[in-house]
Amino acid sequence: MPTVVNVGQAKTHLSSLLERVRAGEEIILAKNGQPYARLVPLEKPQKRKLGLMKGLGKVDEAFFEPLPEEDLKEWE
């Protein structure tokens, strides 16, 4: 069950509340006893796996050929 903390108390103890959230605790911020927001720890970013799409597509050799002059002029 999450801990409920009023905004005034949260202002005074924000650093310690953040440490508790970092440790995995969920804290509900309330104003006049009414829940307003939830403090939860961020998910740890997952490592990206390189080469995930390797072998799924092919680039035609024409991709690497220079563009015709008329196409180049349109890009300038």
Side-chain angles (χ1 to χ4, degrees), residues 24-75:
E25 187 176 344
E26 181 179 312
I27 296 177
I28 303 293
L29 296 178
K31 188 172 183 180
N32 297 323
Q34 294 294 320
Y36 266 64
R38 180 184 339 211
L39 292 177
V40 295
L42 291 174
E43 294 179 11
K44 293 182 182 178
Q46 296 178 353
K47 291 203 174 207
R48 295 174 67 185
K49 187 175 182 180
L50 298 178
L52 190 62
M53 297 186 68
K54 187 175 182 178
L56 294 179
K58 187 175 180 182
V59 177
D60 191 297
E61 290 298 319
F63 178 82
F64 298 101
E65 293 177 6
L67 289 173
E69 283 298 319
E70 62 248 14
D71 290 347
L72 285 175
K73 286 180 184 175
E74 289 184 28
W75 283 95

